[in-house]
Amino acid sequence: MTPMIRNVVLPLAALIALALTPIFVIDSYTRHLFIIAFIYAIIASNWNLSLGQCGVFNFGHLTFFGVGVYTTAILAKTVGLNPLLAIAAAGVTAPIVAFLMAAPVARLKGIYVVLVTFAFSQLVMQLVLSQSQITGGAEGMVRIPYLKIGDYSFIRDYKLGYYYLCLGLLVVSTIFLILIARSPFGKSLKAVRDAEDYAVSRGISVSRQRVLALALSAIFTGVAGGFYAIYLRVASPEVFGFGTLTLALSMLLIGGVGTTYGPIVAALAISFATESLAGIRGFEEARYIVIAVAMILVLRLAPEGILGLFRRLTG
Amino acid sequence: MTNAIIEVVDACKSFGGLKAVKDVSFTVGAGEIFGIAGPNGSGKSTLFNLMTGIPYGPTSGEIRFDGTRIDRWPAHAIARSGLCRTFQKDAEFPDLTVLETLLVSAVYNGDLSASEAANEAQSVLELAQFDPNRVDMLSSELSVYEKKQLMIASALISKPKVLMLDEPASGLTKPEIAKLDALLLGVNRAGVTILLIEHVLSLLLSVSQRLIVLNQGAILAQGLPADVVKDPAVAEAYLGGGV
């Protein structure tokens, strides 16, 4: 299979298929599954920028999502800002938090990066829990204003508006990631990941690239968090929890670390697979075990992920 | 010797109780090919490391480059100032092609735009005698010699004042070493000062204008290559008693 087919034709065909899906899928529940899958796809593919492309073992990526959720929730509900602007604001606050997190980890390596980023995530969660007068504490925030543009309410038409808005966010986020990957900056991230000393000897500041990679990976992750808050109309500290983190991580690992499309494909596949398993009697709670087993099998048999496996099989 | 471009003054490097480099002082003239020899573990690569800050600087002493003290600078800033090195072991960016490797170096070390880098890559690859038909190959797919060529080309594209080569002939065949000899002389003729660590004595003696020999972290001998190899102390310590 030629790179043209693999990198352009297939993604475009997938995009057209997703754009046409609401014509055939008219029930709001299936559309809801697609929307949640798109959100996870944005989270996982942007996580790939720091973890896959730059090699930073960042276990605080869901912090950016959580910051996006609460930024939008507070601005839309407490401040009364237009929900669309509140979502956009999440794309600003999340990278700011990413800068704060990146500062102490920029010069660390390996397990220390994992520990510090995860600790930072827990720190932000504790902050959210402790500031209950602003964030709602453990109970979170509910009845966040829904999205309206003019007279059109996005909750009408079986979530059609939300579907296309979220698909649009995924497309813009993916184009953003592709442009980064193809730029000299994107190449420098791979250089830092694969041969740090060699990269430094070619004038690349490793700590600067790591900070930038984390901040850039936070932009659309934060926006996805903002969208999530407006779409579900809740903001809950669960978004900082280990369950959300491991689900997004499994999408990244199963899809293929270092690939742009892999985590997106895996996010769609895993979201629908877990939902399908939930409908099978006896599998309601076992679905996460199935994902864990799938992750182990993929890492063992195809460490490059399902997209890498697909590339290998198609030459 | 022409004006000194590098001055190393009483450089020391300690790892706990071990002194890997002891009070090493020497100067390198602009435009020179300066050789560094010594047996395994004599501190040659450690000396390169502390001069370039990759991955550490000196414990004490001074490194001056082009008249400016650089021994407390961040490593990437030293590289950007024009002191560019290669590595003893094959260093590569396995996911980048030859052209992408050059692009990264040109943009970050040479302050070139992507389009300028593409033009500059052609002339640098020519200077490094790299096969133009293989520029779209991934670095990981190159032969040992091609990887060495690429490592040198990726340094040259930023137009360094000084190129520091750490055992570039290791793992090469005799014909490849002959090609490397011609390549180094060509690079030097283009105005680049070269510091060369090398175990292949034929290459080192062929291209170097001056030489130091390290032993147990200290300078054992220095001078013209022809004089240094006749030094009995060098023959004893480095050449096992006979040339």
Side-chain angles (χ1 to χ4, degrees):
Chain A
M1 186 180 289
T2 64
M4 178 69 177
I5 293 176
R6 200 169 54 210
N7 298 329
V8 180
V9 176
L10 281 182
L12 272 179
L15 175 60
I16 291 167
L18 287 173
L20 296 176
T21 294
I23 297 172
F24 308 106
V25 177
I26 51 171
D27 69 292
S28 62
Y29 175 67
T30 311
R31 285 179 182 177
H32 166 76
L33 289 183
F34 270 106
I35 291 167
I36 295 298
F38 293 159
I39 290 170
Y40 271 111
I42 294 171
I43 296 170
S45 58
N46 279 274
W47 196 350
N48 178 57
L49 181 62
S50 60
L51 197 151
Q53 300 237 36
C54 193
V56 179
F57 291 103
N58 160 31
F59 269 54
H61 187 72
L62 267 295
T63 311
F64 312 147
F65 181 72
V67 167
V69 167
Y70 276 95
T71 297
T72 302
I74 293 165
L75 288 177
K77 186 176 181 185
T78 314
V79 180
L81 192 68
N82 179 301
L84 209 55
L85 291 176
I87 292 172
V92 177
T93 54
I96 291 171
V97 171
F99 269 114
L100 293 175
M101 189 178 84
V105 302
R107 293 175 195 278
L108 297 178
K109 288 183 181 176
I111 187 72
Y112 299 104
V113 178
V114 175
L115 293 173
V116 172
T117 51
F118 189 68
F120 187 89
S121 174
Q122 296 307 296
L123 183 74
V124 174
M125 186 174 77
Q126 291 305 321
L127 200 65
V128 166
L129 289 171
S130 64
Q131 301 301 310
S132 54
Q133 69 279 17
I134 303 169
T135 62
E139 291 173 5
M141 297 171 75
V142 292
R143 292 187 183 177
I144 296 165
Y146 55 82
L147 198 54
K148 260 177 96 172
I149 295 179
D151 288 337
Y152 183 75
S153 163
F154 275 61
I155 54 173
R156 283 168 42 192
D157 300 330
Y158 304 99
K159 303 180 191 295
L160 188 69
Y162 280 128
Y163 181 95
Y164 281 115
L165 179 61
C166 199
L167 179 61
L169 282 178
L170 176 59
V171 169
V172 175
S173 162
T174 307
I175 291 170
F176 173 74
L177 293 171
I178 290 169
L179 290 176
I180 287 178
R182 290 184 180 174
S183 70
F185 172 73
K187 309 291 180 201
S188 78
L189 297 185
K190 288 183 177 177
V192 166
R193 177 194 66 191
D194 293 333
E196 190 178 314
D197 283 348
Y198 187 20
V200 172
S201 77
R202 295 301 174 263
I204 300 170
S205 166
V206 171
S207 49
R208 179 176 176 273
Q209 301 310 83
R210 284 180 178 160
V211 170
L212 286 174
L214 283 167
L216 290 171
S217 76
I219 295 174
F220 278 96
T221 308
V223 170
F227 175 85
Y228 181 89
I230 294 297
Y231 171 62
L232 292 180
R233 305 187 64 195
V234 294
S236 151
E238 273 177 26
V239 292
F240 297 101
F242 210 69
T244 321
L245 185 140
T246 48
L247 188 59
L249 184 63
S250 67
M251 290 165 179
L252 176 55
L253 295 177
I254 291 173
V257 173
T259 65
T260 304
Y261 296 124
I264 297 171
V265 173
L268 285 161
I270 290 173
S271 297
F272 279 90
T274 52
E275 208 54 38
S276 304
L277 289 171
I280 301 172
R281 188 182 294 272
F283 267 91
E284 296 90 344
E285 298 303 322
R287 53 189 165 159
Y288 296 110
I289 297 173
V290 173
I291 292 173
V293 171
M295 194 157 73
I296 291 166
L297 286 175
V298 167
L299 288 175
R300 187 76 187 87
L301 303 173
E304 69 276 39
I306 50 173
L307 210 73
L309 182 67
F310 174 72
R311 281 181 183 169
R312 202 176 350 137
L313 294 175
T314 56
Chain B
M1 190 184 76
T2 54
N3 292 337
I5 193 161
I6 291 178
E7 297 164 82
V8 177
V9 184
D10 296 330
C12 293
K13 183 67 194 177
S14 301
F15 299 101
L18 174 73
K19 266 200 157 185
V21 172
K22 302 171 196 164
D23 299 320
V24 168
S25 299
F26 63 92
T27 58
V28 179
E32 203 174 11
I33 300 184
F34 189 90
I36 301 173
N40 284 331
S42 59
K44 303 185 298 296
S45 292
T46 307
L47 181 61
F48 261 28
N49 293 346
L50 60 90
M51 287 173 72
T52 56
I54 303 171
Y56 42 71
T59 309
S60 63
E62 289 184 15
I63 314 290
R64 293 184 180 276
F65 174 55
D66 223 4
T68 306
R69 192 170 170 182
I70 59 166
D71 48 83
R72 293 291 177 259
W73 285 16
H76 72 277
I78 294 175
R80 287 173 61 84
S81 72
L83 191 65
C84 212
R85 72 172 290 182
T86 66
F87 295 86
Q88 184 182 344
K89 289 182 180 167
D90 287 341
E92 63 184 21
F93 303 134
D95 266 7
L96 301 189
T97 65
V98 171
L99 279 180
E100 287 170 345
T101 300
L102 294 176
L103 171 75
V104 164
S105 182
V107 170
Y108 285 92
N109 218 19
D111 288 331
L112 300 181
S113 68
S115 57
E116 288 169 334
N119 292 331
E120 194 60 34
Q122 302 306 321
S123 58
V124 165
L125 288 169
E126 206 173 301
L127 182 61
Q129 302 165 359
F130 195 91
D131 182 352
N133 296 316
R134 291 174 63 79
V135 294
D136 291 322
M137 301 285 288
L138 286 174
S139 302
S140 52
E141 296 168 341
L142 301 177
S143 70
V144 173
Y145 183 62
E146 286 173 324
K147 285 178 184 175
K148 306 263 184 192
Q149 286 176 295
L150 177 57
M151 201 158 26
I152 292 172
S154 71
L156 291 176
I157 199 165
S158 62
K159 298 195 185 304
K161 292 175 185 163
V162 175
L163 179 60
M164 300 172 66
L165 301 166
D166 193 351
E167 296 195 32
S170 67
L172 299 186
T173 62
K174 277 190 176 175
E176 287 170 342
I177 291 173
K179 283 198 274 186
L180 181 66
D181 188 316
L183 165 59
L184 297 186
L185 292 174
V187 169
N188 184 240
R189 271 196 299 276
V192 180
T193 305
I194 294 177
L195 260 76
L196 176 64
I197 293 176
E198 191 48 73
H199 268 305
V200 178
L201 276 184
S202 58
L203 175 67
L204 191 69
L205 298 177
S206 156
V207 300
S208 299
Q209 290 147 12
R210 287 192 306 134
L211 198 64
I212 58 171
V213 177
L214 293 177
N215 189 36
Q216 296 182 350
I219 292 181
L220 185 66
Q222 57 182 313
L224 299 173
D227 297 336
V228 169
V229 292
K230 288 177 191 160
D231 188 321
V234 172
E236 180 60 34
Y238 179 54
L239 302 170
V243 183

